[in-house]
Amino acid sequence: MVVVGGGYTGLWTAYSLAVADPSLRVVVLEAEQVGHGASGRNGGWCSALFPASLASLAATAGRDAALAQHRAMRATVDEVARTAAAEGIDCHLAKGGTVVVARNRAQWTRARAEVAAARTWDRGEDDLRLLDAREATGVLRARGTVGATYTPDCAAIHPARLVRGLAEACERHGVTIHESTRVTAIEPGRARTAAGDVRADVVVRATEGYTPLLPGLRRAVVPVYSLMIATEPLPPAVWDEIGLARRETFSDHRHLVIYGQRTADDRLAFGGRGAPYHLGSRVDPAFDRDERVFAGLYATLVDLFPVLAGTRVTHAWGGPLGIARDWCASVGLDRRTGLAWAGGYVGDGVATTNLAGRTLRDLVLGHDTDLVRLPWVGHRSPAWEPEPVRWLGINAGLRATRLADAEESLTRRPSLLARATATVVPAG
């Protein structure tokens, strides 16, 4: 089989197949270097987050199937840790969970509603807890914290160390990886490159945010950019002011996504959405940097933690992630054509890609397991709208999200504008 894409999806798939059946010949084709895309640039959240809500999964597959997907995601966090340990991959993994603080009344309302909704799905405190102000600030001392939600189902990792270690593990198990080998088209039985065709019984598309560059897939997912900054290593006195003693990952309950972690070398790595979507689903290295977004991230970081005022930012970067039209990641194999795929993670791919790789293993080998019966298997998302409609809709949604957060920071009440955001770009 041939896997197109040398990120987490492609490498977990190749690894899982090679371990399960050493007789298989597995080749990975990567346009740049392994981990060049989101797998090497993400915020390092190995979490149980899945982009589609339990309610949306249940609407199409039923309550039991939706909960099975959630249980599989929770187990996958530990599976990544287990495999990293077994293969000697030092990815700086620390399973401290995720704390999401509420910093005004509107955010606190959403936090309480999230926990109340979790209880209707029989998700107990071992899954998601509501923290009061004292408990929340005992974990993360963000300014203005009135409470938080906490889940244990997340491990902070160093993303590039994980993807490079995984590539080395693949090669130890007999997988061949060809870097600097750009695939120009995927067809039944072959992957086309400028140097020639690679023929295989099964061709796996594992290209995520770069999928629109392939013929016929321009509207399959949209590449939306997420950008990050990292501070210089911070002294113990500063960390005493911030918290994150167990390297918990963190966010808050605003509408526009932010995310952060304390790295193993005591930096604060922090990112968020907000970069514009580019007309025609364009992907370009020039889009990896946006000084306006970097400045906004720094301002947000200082707003969260005033002790960081004047702290030096040593690294800034970004890249595209992939979003399906219905916000639902999917994995599947068309047995008639031999074409397989996985993706549409909406930025929640560090753990989900592992689940995808193990699921593709079972699909390819014909194993009837619980994994192949999960509701995301075989799911087909609708195509995105043609341009310029999707450019207008996505960027209008981003702008509405920013305005909703600004409104709530002033009024402290839930934003009416936020409801309009979901009608422009569906929320996950």
Side-chain angles (χ1 to χ4, degrees):
M1 62 176 296
V2 60
V3 178
V4 180
Y8 289 146
T9 300
L11 294 174
W12 280 124
T13 302
Y15 173 85
S16 299
L17 279 159
V19 170
D21 186 351
S23 70
L24 287 176
R25 290 185 297 164
V26 183
V27 171
V28 176
L29 305 178
E30 165 56 42
E32 302 290 345
Q33 292 77 42
V34 292
H36 171 80
S39 297
R41 312 186 207 181
N42 62 79
W45 286 34
C46 182
S47 81
L49 292 171
F50 188 79
S53 67
L54 286 171
S56 65
L57 290 173
T60 57
R63 180 184 177 90
D64 289 346
L67 286 170
Q69 183 80 48
H70 180 63
R71 288 192 298 270
M73 287 301 309
R74 296 188 73 190
T76 296
V77 177
D78 292 329
E79 176 62 21
V80 171
R82 185 200 66 78
T83 304
E87 293 291 348
I89 301 172
D90 181 11
C91 59
H92 297 169
L93 187 146
K95 191 183 178 187
T98 298
V99 60
V100 183
V101 297
R103 301 176 62 222
N104 57 48
R105 189 170 67 182
Q107 291 186 13
W108 182 232
T109 298
R110 282 195 293 279
R112 288 183 297 166
E114 180 183 349
V115 173
R119 299 295 180 263
T120 69
W121 291 94
D122 300 322
R123 295 171 57 197
E125 292 218 339
D126 65 316
D127 186 331
L128 185 69
R129 291 180 55 208
L130 188 68
L131 307 182
D132 61 24
R134 181 186 60 81
E135 292 173 303
T137 55
V139 179
L140 180 70
R141 287 176 278 284
R143 183 172 67 172
T145 294
V146 297
T149 54
Y150 173 79
T151 175
D153 296 321
C154 187
I157 61 152
H158 187 305
R161 292 176 71 95
L162 175 59
V163 75
R164 291 169 185 165
L166 182 56
E168 292 170 0
C170 283
E171 292 180 324
R172 285 196 300 273
H173 287 280
V175 174
T176 300
I177 300 173
H178 293 290
E179 297 180 307
S180 302
T181 305
R182 185 176 300 278
V183 171
T184 57
I186 294 174
E187 301 169 2
R190 78 178 70 198
R192 294 191 179 276
T193 80
D197 295 350
V198 179
R199 298 178 182 273
D201 298 318
V202 175
V203 182
V204 178
R205 169 170 58 81
T207 47
E208 194 55 351
Y210 298 88
T211 300
L213 302 179
L214 291 167
L217 296 170
R218 178 69 70 179
R219 293 164 58 193
V221 298
V222 293
V224 171
Y225 277 74
S226 194
L227 275 58
M228 293 193 68
I229 59 175
T231 69
E232 60 189 330
L234 304 174
V238 172
W239 282 114
D240 288 343
E241 293 290 321
I242 295 173
L244 303 179
R246 297 188 302 125
R247 289 189 58 210
E248 297 90 346
T249 57
F250 72 92
S251 182
D252 72 9
H253 280 279
R254 73 184 66 202
H255 296 288
L256 192 65
V257 173
I258 61 169
Y259 50 92
Q261 68 149 291
R262 178 179 183 172
T263 67
D265 61 348
D266 284 333
R267 300 174 189 270
L268 206 160
F270 184 72
R273 310 289 192 261
Y277 163 74
H278 301 279
L279 185 70
S281 293
R282 286 180 295 150
V283 175
D284 191 300
F287 302 152
D288 295 347
R289 299 187 62 85
D290 186 320
E291 298 305 323
R292 177 188 59 83
V293 176
F294 291 146
L297 289 172
Y298 184 77
T300 300
L301 200 55
V302 172
D303 180 57
L304 285 163
F305 312 112
V307 69
L308 293 178
T311 296
R312 188 166 60 96
V313 169
T314 57
H315 300 76
W317 69 98
L321 54 91
I323 301 179
R325 183 60 183 88
D326 59 359
W327 243 251
C328 187
S330 64
V331 59
L333 168 65
D334 184 335
R335 298 191 181 280
R336 180 180 59 83
T337 63
L339 296 177
W341 78 93
Y345 307 117
V346 197
D348 294 327
V350 178
T352 317
T353 51
N354 173 277
L355 181 60
R358 289 183 290 123
T359 303
L360 284 170
R361 172 202 63 199
D362 291 350
L363 289 170
V364 169
L365 297 179
H367 294 166
D368 183 16
T369 65
D370 289 341
L371 296 186
V372 302
R373 289 188 290 273
L374 291 174
W376 74 321
V377 176
H379 175 76
R380 298 279 190 173
S381 297
W384 280 88
E385 290 78 2
E387 297 289 23
V389 175
R390 70 175 179 272
W391 179 87
L392 290 167
I394 293 168
N395 286 320
L398 288 170
R399 180 171 177 79
T401 302
R402 285 193 293 266
L403 290 173
D405 284 328
E407 177 189 344
E408 290 184 352
S409 69
L410 290 173
T411 67
R412 308 291 174 176
R413 296 191 299 270
S415 170
L416 295 176
L417 183 60
R419 300 177 187 176
T421 307
T423 66
V424 177
V425 181

